[in-house]
Amino acid sequence: MRAMSLPMIIVHGGAGNWKDERIPVGMEYVEKAARAGFGVFEKEGSALDAAEACTVFMESCGQLNAGLGARANLDGVRELDAMIVDGETLSFGSVAAVCDIQNPVSLARYIMEKTDYAFFAGNNANRIYQQMISEGYREEREPGVIKPHFEVFGADTVGCVAVDSKGNIAATSSTGGISKKLPGRVGDSPVMGAGAFANEICGATATGWGENIMRVTLTRMAVLYVEQGIDLQKAAEKAMDLFETKTGSEAGLVMADKDGRWSKATNAKAMPTSVIAEDLGNISSYTK
Ligand code: ASP
């Protein structure tokens, strides 16, 4: 889609068979999330700051399949997966199957920035969470609930790609997973190159049937196509074509590059998406 000025953020609220009456709700919350993330740029925040704030908003709103609003597994427990990717350094932090934490994206960022590791799973991830709190990396509003790092106002898997004024790219994904998942099941959302990917050129985040997204490393493929010179919208569509041909399954992805161009492709019924970019001093918003 058209080049937009920087900074910018593109946000999705999950691709799937949304009930008609839920689509406006999904759109409302992705628009709010995009504004929450974009507001961070106005406070000199980086792409990582904006992506984290936007995702914390979606995890906390209770209306999307992440954080507070996450689907429960078959035991009735919310087991969350999340990831954040820093395109500038090609670093990522991930958590899988974590319970009792509302904002796993902040824990993922702590893991990326403050530990020697990239990926924690299950109960022991909660120990890293406690370490994060006791070190003061983030404050809690209540046990398990992060106080946003930047003040933010204010279904399905959520994710965003944020590009700051320097052209640095950050991508996130956060989810409660698919419906009726067996306890311990982990999908694509915390897997680098599957649920999200970013480098210094482009970032992407995906949603849909996680087992199949991992099979084709959907977001890595989409960004690779851009590296090969394919236009951003065509790259998203080509990645979705590959996904559909190989797996016959349902998914969607959004992308943004270092110049603020963005794209979206999905074969699902709906995927609420919002884009905000600084354009000649004005903020423009796009949702479909
Ligand atoms: N991709 C997520 C998963 O498989 C689900 C979703 O996008 O709704 O866990």
Side-chain angles (χ1 to χ4, degrees), residues 158-195:
V158 304
C160 71
V161 183
V163 190
D164 61 28
S165 51
K166 296 181 187 142
N168 293 330
I169 305 166
T172 64
S173 55
S174 185
T175 189
I178 52 172
S179 297
K180 303 191 178 108
K181 73 176 182 184
L182 281 176
R185 177 266 185 191
V186 173
D188 60 301
S189 303
V191 178
M192 177 70 160

Side-chain angles (χ1 to χ4, degrees), residues 10-34:
I10 180 163
V11 184
H12 76 77
N17 192 19
W18 285 70
K19 290 196 181 111
D20 290 340
E21 63 275 20
R22 291 285 305 159
I23 294 174
V25 178
M27 301 228 282
E28 179 188 338
Y29 282 91
V30 293
E31 279 184 23
K32 284 182 175 162

Side-chain angles (χ1 to χ4, degrees), residues 125-140:
N126 295 59
R127 287 158 63 166
I128 309 298
Y129 178 84
Q130 291 311 330
Q131 181 183 311
M132 169 177 94
I133 299 301
S134 61
E135 283 176 9
Y137 180 82
R138 293 288 178 272
E139 282 177 61
E140 283 181 308

Side-chain angles (χ1 to χ4, degrees), residues 70-109:
R71 285 185 191 115
N73 66 18
L74 278 181
D75 282 348
V77 175
R78 282 198 291 262
E79 272 185 333
L80 308 182
D81 304 333
M83 169 168 53
I84 190 162
V85 187
D86 179 3
E88 191 187 359
T89 59
L90 205 63
S91 315
F92 74 95
S94 291
V95 291
V98 294
C99 303
D100 305 320
I101 293 172
Q102 185 179 288
N103 303 109
V105 74
S106 296
L107 177 58
R109 185 171 175 190

